[in-house]
Amino acid sequence: MRIGLLGPLEVRNDDGAAVEIAGARLRTLLSALALEPGRIVPAGRLVDAVWGTRPPATANALQALVSRLRRIGTRLDSTPSGYRLPEATVDATRFEELVATARTLPDEKRVVLLREALNLWRGPALGDVSDAQFFQGHIVRLNELRLSATEEYAEAVLRLGHGADLVEELSRLLAENPLRERLAAALMRSLQAAGRPAEALQVFARIRRALADELGTDPAPELSAAHTKILRETVANEDIARTNLRAGLTSFVGRNSEVARVAKLVGEYRLTTLTGPGGAGKTRLATETGRQLLTGRSGVWFAELAPVTSGADVPQAVLDALRQREQRYRGSLANSSPRERAARALRDRDAVLVLDNCEHVIEAAAELAEYLLGECPRLRILATSREPLAVTGEALWPVEPLTLPAEGATAVEARSCASVRLLADRAAAVRPGFAVDESTVDDVVRICRALDGMPLAVELAAARLRSLSISQLAARLDDRFRLLTAGSRTALPRHRTLRAVVDWSWDLLEPGERQLLRRLSVFSGGATAAAAEAVCGGTSELLSALVDKSLLTVSADAEPRYRMLETIKAYGLEQLTLAGEREELRQAHAEWFASFAETGDKYLRRAEQIEWLARFAAEHGNLISAIRGAIAAGEAATALRLATSCAWFWMLTGHKTEAQELIEAALALPGETDRELRAMGYAMAALLLTVGMTDESSADGLSRRALELSRGSENSLLRCIIPVLTQTDASAGESALAELLSDEDPWLRAHARLHRARTQLNLRHDSAAQEADIREAVRLFRLSGERWGISLALNSLAEVVGRRGELEEAVSCYEESIEVVSELGSAEEVLFARGRQAQLFWQLGDEAAAASAIAAADREARSISYPDPLALLAQTKADLARWRGDLAEARLELNRAEALLSEVSPHPLFRAILQHSHAYLDAQTGDLAAARDRRREALALAAEAGEALYLSIVLVGIADHALCVGRPVAAADLLAAGDRLRGGPHLALPDATAAVAAVQAQPSGTVDDPVALAYDVLG
């Protein structure tokens, strides 16, 4: 077992699978034991850790917790004086061992072990118990060791000459520990190594003020010595002017690794161009790279081309950067051109020339770069531009937005993202005390994601925090161009507001490029070339031009997708409105995607299903945008075409709530629509309500409307759905079913067989006929290649063969079902099958396999947000816990299942099974009155639903009740009635086999009305 204490408690078994430790006290107990692996921890100390100053009233409370730990697979040794956790790998212990060993080794090996040790940390030490008094000493000790290990690591790296890579990590740690002098000294030396001595001196000034203000002391001699050394080296270097790079006024956040990679490119290629949209941080990245390249070269010169208005003035701007503007030329140079003089100045230098902001003078910049590289063999050029210079031998480095936090990220997760760190850094400068914590993280995440992680946009947003709170800023981002107008007065005019940034790019475009860019803003989530051409009239040449100018990105997919940043999209929509094209483009967009969905819908039920699911998923944003736009415009026909064609995709991928809302909104629109189209809308809306654990009665009205409108329809999908919706109309259902059973489409015949199998049991109680239909459905679904249907049929087959006692075959059916449905990414179907597998494994005596199946289900459950499958899993785990004899765990899981469905009306059959399971717990704890009441309710629900299998299961529970009240003959009769209902015994239900064993000596007869007998037993 592996236990992680350096962050939130994390437990994994020997196979690497996560082990869930439910309950704060259980986590506390395991944390206390894990702090001393292999050693006996006295019981009194464990009680102090778990209960603090309020010890438990009973002496065996600790023993009960230990038993719970053992049940989840934790090996614990008991001794008269306490407990011991043997053979566990604990990250905190490993961390201390690595640090101790590293301190005995030379620097080359020391840095390897210290880095390995520091990488073990995932967050604050003992994060789950950080508030408990018992653990404070351990937390302080581990945190101190982490800091000292970091300092030792940094010092060793600096001695090895690689300190420039440490700046970001040390800056973050010093911000968290602002009085840590050894850490400050390491950061100063790292900044010096990165060619940023001015920032190193600023670090010293800050810590000197902090020490004086808070402690009334001066810096230690070691820190002062580091300051003096940097100061001397800086002064010495300034004697030889080798650069015109200016010191940064703010910290450099989030791109330290990129600096190293761009510097490597500059070393390998004569010309390297940083490309990216306005505000991406190209200039700052080029500047920081230039500082790193300064070491060992004769100079790094930065030529600002932004103020240049004519390409003819580009060479003179380079001369100005080289500080040769005032020189007087004589002789042959007196009549030379600026580019010739620039070449002469650079010809013998091992130098780097930075050409910044080339896009508006791109041809002149490219021509000059090619000329200088040809004339100056040791020269390297680093350019920044929104499009490549397109010079032979050019290397490109796209400057991407800063990394973004995921939606719903925690504060710790968010702070690991560069965009969040940048916002936090700049926000703290204008709003002292600002921090990214649980109170601000949601707004911070929303801001960074809305601004695409673009550095300039993030900095402009942070500047607004002078006058707005973080929540106010987040709420106003829809009007980003008016909001983000607080840039630096000394910045270039086009960098002072977000609108100016985009205006600059827009003004550089040709008319055709502008038209395509504004029209592309109608797409949500990007567009394929075919969609762009059909909707916008664009060409591949224009798309490529916009990619080159960093206004679009293109994916490397088999069918490339063209996307734009949200800020560019917002600007494009404004321009689309100004051009008077917005409504025209919305309609063209909706028509294109309605046709796309209608074409693709039929493939979702064929062998091409996986390919088309991926295509629908890629276009999901566009499909939602199109249907919402059609609904808002009152276009009933278009809205229904889109909604009905997307409905099967939504059902397969778990977007049921969204689908229900959109279909019903489309149906509610006034206006004439095709009868069959409207029938399909009602049918899909009803079908979506029947999928899951909610009450199907809410679909009755929709089903009736679908049936009325569908008469005479030849639509295959509509004909397939109708039998499902006509449970209360037997004649209509049988008629529709008969047609489907002879259809030439194997997918339709398979669904008809599967549906008929249900009636074979409910009406005829013929389990053999039911199995025959299900096996044929499996064959037909395999023939069609449709995975969801295969999975559905295999689950049904597993149920049938399991009842017959073929448990291994049932397990195999579920396994194949999982493999098939996993291709669809349908986690809820996997969840169901894993839960049933766990129960079957337990009955086969393989408890390890049962536990593994439950662990796999729990892992899948993490990706599911809606309650139905989670409630079903909880009920499955409850029965499994009850069969194991853990009644408390069983009750906990049943309560959890009910809580998950507390805001919806659960399906009557699921309510019946919940009451049935609760009743067993009541009976086993001696509360027969409560058990009786629950079983009466379960009986009423199951009898009303008319599902033979569920009714037979409830009768098993009432047979158990008959045994409890001394009526074994009635119990035998009820069990025999259940067997007749399901066409045989239920050998996959431990409750049934246990009850049968208890009444083996009792005669049983035929009961005409088992429900009446059941009510008689319950009184």
Side-chain angles (χ1 to χ4, degrees), residues 152-334:
E152 292 170 31
Y153 170 74
E155 290 163 356
V157 170
L158 285 160
R159 287 192 294 271
L160 293 171
H162 305 301
D165 298 333
L166 299 172
V167 171
E168 187 171 348
E169 180 179 4
L170 296 179
S171 297
R172 185 174 66 253
L173 284 173
L174 186 61
E176 296 169 359
N177 303 271
L179 300 180
R180 190 91 180 181
E181 294 183 76
R182 187 179 179 187
L183 195 59
L187 175 57
M188 291 165 60
R189 292 171 59 197
S190 179
L191 286 165
Q192 173 76 346
R196 298 155 66 179
E199 293 177 51
L201 298 175
Q202 291 171 2
V203 170
F204 179 79
R206 284 199 299 270
I207 194 169
R208 180 172 59 186
R209 285 196 301 271
L211 289 168
D213 293 344
E214 298 191 31
L215 302 179
T217 62
D218 292 325
E222 295 80 5
L223 184 59
S224 296
H227 171 250
T228 301
K229 183 175 183 295
I230 292 170
L231 193 60
R232 286 173 177 167
E233 290 178 2
T234 302
V235 172
N237 288 337
E238 286 175 353
D239 291 340
I240 305 173
R242 296 186 298 122
T243 185
N244 65 340
L245 291 172
R246 292 180 293 180
L249 300 179
T250 56
S251 59
F252 184 59
V253 177
R255 296 199 192 274
N256 286 299
S257 61
E258 286 189 67
V259 169
R261 295 172 72 179
V262 172
K264 186 172 183 292
L265 277 180
V266 173
E268 294 173 353
Y269 298 88
R270 301 285 310 284
L271 170 62
T272 300
T273 303
L274 307 182
T275 62
K282 301 184 296 295
T283 297
R284 187 65 188 270
L285 178 57
T287 302
E288 297 300 328
T289 303
R291 288 198 182 96
Q292 181 160 319
L293 292 169
L294 189 57
T295 304
R297 295 187 182 274
S298 63
V300 175
W301 306 96
F302 189 91
E304 293 188 46
L305 303 186
V308 175
T309 57
S310 169
D313 294 331
V314 170
Q316 185 60 54
V318 173
L319 279 179
D320 293 345
L322 295 171
R323 297 179 178 174
Q324 302 215 0
R325 186 173 184 174
E326 301 300 326
Q327 291 190 21
R328 301 291 183 187
Y329 295 96
R330 295 193 176 100
S332 62
L333 286 178

Side-chain angles (χ1 to χ4, degrees), residues 971-987:
D973 288 342
L974 287 169
L975 291 171
D979 288 351
R980 286 192 296 277
L981 280 172
R982 71 176 82 87
H986 199 327
L987 300 180

Side-chain angles (χ1 to χ4, degrees), residues 970-1009:
D973 288 342
L974 287 169
L975 291 171
D979 288 351
R980 286 192 296 277
L981 280 172
R982 71 176 82 87
H986 199 327
L987 300 180
L989 183 64
D991 296 328
T993 54
V996 167
V999 300
Q1000 274 185 342
Q1002 301 298 327
S1004 63
T1006 302
V1007 179
D1008 292 332
D1009 191 348

Side-chain angles (χ1 to χ4, degrees), residues 537-560:
T539 65
S540 58
E541 292 78 11
L542 284 174
L543 286 169
S544 296
L546 291 174
V547 171
D548 287 342
K549 294 177 180 179
S550 303
L551 290 167
L552 294 179
T553 61
V554 59
S555 72
D557 300 331
E559 186 176 22

Side-chain angles (χ1 to χ4, degrees), residues 776-857:
E776 179 62 6
V778 171
R779 187 189 73 80
L780 291 169
F781 275 128
R782 284 177 174 153
L783 188 63
S784 75
E786 200 270 291
R787 280 78 164 175
W788 184 71
I790 296 172
S791 171
L792 205 63
L794 284 168
N795 289 343
S796 298
L797 183 59
E799 176 64 37
V800 170
V801 299
R803 290 202 311 265
R804 200 174 61 232
E806 302 292 340
L807 304 188
E808 291 89 349
E809 184 181 353
V811 167
S812 298
C813 287
Y814 282 125
E815 190 61 38
E816 185 183 351
S817 169
I818 290 166
E819 291 175 7
V820 168
V821 84
S822 292
E823 293 185 67
L824 303 180
S826 181
E828 62 270 26
E829 303 295 341
V830 174
L831 215 62
F832 165 76
R834 286 294 183 208
R836 290 294 295 126
Q837 270 191 328
Q839 293 183 335
L840 292 168
F841 279 131
W842 183 85
Q843 290 171 255
L844 288 166
D846 193 343
E847 295 190 20
S852 178
I854 287 296

